[in-house]
């Protein structure tokens, strides 16, 4: 197993560490720089009524992430959040989303911001794998899957109060 693929549950998988991921991120952000002056994304710490967190593993990036995606032109942050959760997990938001923090994501670019919400959700149907999502599911916080990203682990520690919020993703 390569060093970039190795991870522990405490350290997590470093996001964007492989050459393929760096190249894909670079190309996508060049495209977004032409189509948008600044990039804005949403992510959500999605908990079910049992307190488990919902995570996704993409087909094009290594590691497990909280669901989310970009905010498109003419779309509100709330609309983008609901859309991404529906698309990535067949998740329905129960109650108002709680804004947790806004981060600068320097790993992506100097212009990328991520708005993180905490939400309670219900899955309306199983989310089957496709070209974007390899797998997804709810996990107990003490039984997370292998290769959870470092940023996801940091956000979970911030959400639980074990770590102070930082302003960078």
């Amino acid at each position: 197993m390569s060093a970039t693929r190795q991870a522990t549950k405490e350290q997590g998988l470093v996001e964007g560490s492989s050459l393929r991921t760096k190249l894909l991120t670079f190309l996508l952000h060049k495209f977004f720089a032409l189509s948008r002056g600044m990039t804005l994304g949403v992510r959500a710490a999605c908990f079910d009524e049992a307190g488990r967190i919902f995570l996704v593993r993409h087909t094009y990036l290594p590691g497990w992430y909280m669901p989310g995606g970009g905010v498109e032109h003419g779309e509100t942050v709330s609309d983008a959040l609901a859309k991404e959760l529906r698309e990535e997990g067949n998740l329905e938001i129960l109650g108002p989303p709680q804004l947790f923090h806004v981060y600068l994501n320097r790993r992506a670019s100097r212009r990328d911001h991520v708005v993180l919400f905490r939400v309670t959700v219900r899955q309306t149907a199983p989310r089957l794998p496709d070209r974007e999502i390899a797998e997804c599911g709810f996990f107990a916080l003490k039984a997370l899957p292998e290769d959870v990203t470092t940023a996801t682990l940091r956000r979970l520690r911030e959400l639980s109060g074990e770590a102070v919020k930082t302003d960078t993703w």
Side-chain angles (χ1 to χ4, degrees):
M1 183 180 293
S2 73
T4 58
R5 292 287 301 147
Q6 292 178 348
T8 66
K9 290 195 179 193
E10 284 80 36
Q11 293 176 334
L13 180 71
V14 176
E15 292 182 39
S17 58
S18 74
L19 182 60
R20 178 179 178 257
T21 301
K22 287 178 182 177
L23 180 61
L24 180 61
T25 301
F26 174 80
L27 292 173
L28 285 172
H29 277 275
K30 289 298 177 190
F31 169 75
F32 291 144
L34 296 174
S35 63
R36 309 175 192 154
M38 179 187 83
T39 55
L40 179 65
V42 293
R43 283 207 189 263
C46 300
F47 294 94
D48 67 6
E49 292 174 334
R52 299 176 302 165
I53 183 115
F54 186 83
L55 298 174
V56 299
R57 190 173 64 79
H58 296 96
T59 57
Y60 52 88
L61 294 172
W64 288 86
Y65 296 79
M66 289 183 270
V71 179
E72 300 298 330
H73 286 287
E75 186 175 47
T76 68
V77 169
S78 298
D79 289 343
L81 178 68
K83 175 193 72 180
E84 292 296 336
L85 298 187
R86 187 176 53 253
E87 289 177 356
E88 292 193 2
N90 291 330
L91 300 176
E92 176 181 82
I93 299 172
L94 306 175
Q98 299 171 340
L99 173 62
F100 183 72
H101 201 56
V102 179
Y103 300 87
L104 173 62
N105 186 4
R106 288 190 181 126
R107 284 195 176 276
S109 78
R110 295 178 303 181
R111 303 170 346 282
D112 188 54
H113 291 79
V114 178
V115 181
L116 178 64
F117 291 90
R118 180 187 176 102
V119 296
T120 302
V121 296
R122 170 179 47 228
Q123 192 170 40
T124 59
R127 172 60 162 86
L128 301 176
D130 61 17
R131 291 193 303 218
E132 180 186 3
I133 305 297
E135 58 184 320
C136 60
F138 287 97
F139 299 92
L141 292 173
K142 295 192 183 284
L144 297 174
E146 293 292 323
D147 292 347
V148 174
T149 66
T150 55
T152 299
L153 292 173
R154 276 196 310 271
R155 301 297 81 82
L156 291 174
R157 286 193 291 273
E158 290 173 2
L159 283 156
S160 71
E162 294 174 28
V164 176
K165 290 180 194 176
T166 62
D167 288 332
T168 56
W169 189 256

